[in-house]
Amino acid sequence: MSISSQLLNETKQWRKQIHSEPELGFKEFKTSSFIVDKLTAFGIEVHQGLGVTGVVGTLKNGEGPTIGIRADIDALPIAEQTDVEYKSTHDNCMHACGHDGHTSILLGTAKYLSENKNFNGTIHFIFQPAEEVLGGAKAMIEDGLFDKFPMDAVYGLHNWPGLPVGQVAVNDGPMMASFDTFEITLTGKGTHAAMPHQGADPIAAGAALITNIQSIISRRISPLQSGVISVTQMNSGDTTNVIPDHAVLKGTVRSFDIDVRQSMQDMLRWLLLYHLYMVSQERLTITFIIQLLPTTVRLI
């Protein structure tokens, strides 16, 4: 199979345009419109509105199997700090995970196959919104993706900067870890910073909890298995001379194994109860919320 330099250059330009105008999950309206315009120009049947901003393009050529090829289209709430000419034009929004590249690759694939129908069957080009935490795939499925577009298999890729240029990696079983998020609210009793003994300090409790959370991986998970718990946010207080009445911790839990995943969730919940008893002396309450997104597993 030979891909023309013209198509490669077009794909690069699409990527730069998408990169310069990033949009967050379920708000990819301009990106979706760009995708629709390109697919329509390729002569591909277009379906919109699955999962709010999701797009499916359908290309048929005779009888044969039906497959899907999927790319994600959303960006991240990150301020771009590069000086490239196509840098993000939107404040605190950037294609930092490469979804601009994924989208452009799938558009280039769609154009190539529309011009070179050297296959028999049906291809659905799936452009998924809100891959970053918000569950865009689930939203598309709930909107009838597989009911409206039955498929024998779905294929996708993710860029991986650690691989040498020109190489593709694949393996059996889990490919991408499960992604679970948690939010912990520690509610204590506010007091003046000069009189901490009159309050219940959620910041001190939160700092101790962050340290203790790391013992789950180092002491409760087998070294032969893998898991990661990261506390990525701690928010509390509005001024320097007052101990606040609450603190909020947020973070992620990741694993490749369903049993390890459940164990980490159970141990995190147990640690919260233990921490409540040992640190707060019953003057602190904890609210725990967790959102579950499963492991990506290669089945064929």
Side-chain angles (χ1 to χ4, degrees):
M1 183 178 73
S2 176
I3 301 175
S4 69
S5 58
Q6 179 181 347
L7 178 55
L8 288 175
N9 289 333
E10 280 186 291
T11 303
K12 292 176 183 178
Q13 289 304 313
W14 297 336
R15 183 253 166 177
K16 291 178 179 179
Q17 181 171 341
I18 295 169
H19 186 93
S20 69
E21 298 178 305
E23 296 173 298
L24 299 178
F26 295 127
K27 298 179 181 178
E28 312 95 331
F29 299 106
K30 193 166 186 177
T31 304
S32 292
S33 179
F34 179 85
I35 293 166
V36 168
D37 289 346
K38 293 300 178 186
L39 293 177
T40 301
F42 304 158
I44 292 175
E45 181 182 338
V46 178
H47 311 269
Q48 298 175 252
L50 280 82
V52 185
T53 46
V55 178
V56 177
T58 299
L59 180 63
K60 299 179 181 180
N61 190 51
E63 298 297 323
T66 298
I67 67 167
I69 311 177
R70 170 263 187 197
D72 35 23
I73 67 175
D74 57 323
L76 285 163
I78 295 174
E80 182 161 6
Q81 299 180 10
T82 72
D83 293 320
V84 295
E85 61 180 10
Y86 52 89
K87 68 181 295 185
S88 172
T89 57
H90 297 169
D91 292 338
N92 199 38
C93 190
M94 177 189 178
H95 273 294
C97 197
H99 298 184
D100 50 341
H102 300 168
T103 301
S104 301
I105 289 169
L106 188 51
L107 284 174
T109 302
K111 183 174 184 180
Y112 177 87
L113 291 172
S114 70
E115 295 174 347
N116 302 271
K117 296 182 179 179
N118 50 359
F119 66 93
N120 292 314
T122 301
I123 302 173
H124 297 301
F125 303 99
I126 306 166
F127 294 86
Q128 177 205 313
E131 186 271 347
E132 300 290 355
V133 183
L134 297 175
K138 185 172 183 288
M140 292 189 78
I141 292 170
E142 290 176 346
D143 278 351
L145 174 66
F146 293 120
D147 295 326
K148 298 174 182 177
F149 309 99
M151 294 171 244
D152 299 308
V154 178
Y155 298 87
L157 59 79
H158 201 294
N159 70 86
W160 205 262
L163 284 178
V165 174
Q167 288 192 11
V168 176
V170 65
N171 64 274
D172 292 328
M175 292 290 295
M176 304 291 282
S178 59
F179 179 73
D180 305 329
T181 64
F182 62 84
E183 178 176 328
I184 303 168
T185 302
L186 302 97
T187 303
K189 181 181 178 183
T191 184
H192 196 282
M195 295 175 284
H197 61 289
Q198 295 184 0
D201 188 347
I203 294 181
L209 180 58
I210 290 171
T211 300
N212 288 333
I213 283 174
Q214 300 310 311
S215 67
I216 293 176
I217 300 300
S218 65
R219 290 296 177 267
R220 303 297 294 175
I221 299 298
S222 167
L224 301 179
Q225 298 174 312
S226 61
V228 177
I229 302 178
S230 296
V231 179
T232 57
Q233 295 183 43
M234 181 175 183
N235 299 304
S236 185
D238 298 305
T239 187
T240 58
N241 64 341
V242 174
I243 293 174
D245 61 2
H246 75 280
V248 178
L249 308 181
K250 297 181 182 181
T252 62
V253 181
R254 300 172 189 262
S255 177
F256 287 118
D257 183 270
I258 189 170
D259 293 330
V260 173
R261 180 189 189 193
Q262 187 60 55
S263 294
M264 288 195 296
Q265 294 172 29
D266 293 343
M267 285 185 280
L268 187 53
R269 289 187 173 93
W270 177 86
L271 183 60
L272 295 182
L273 294 174
Y274 173 81
H275 194 77
L276 174 63
Y277 177 77
M278 295 298 293
V279 176
S280 71
Q281 298 177 343
E282 298 183 352
R283 291 188 296 176
L284 202 66
T285 60
I286 295 177
T287 303
F288 178 61
I289 303 170
I290 193 161
Q291 175 185 345
L292 309 177
L293 295 175
T295 304
T296 302
V297 180
R298 178 177 177 265
L299 297 177
I300 59 174

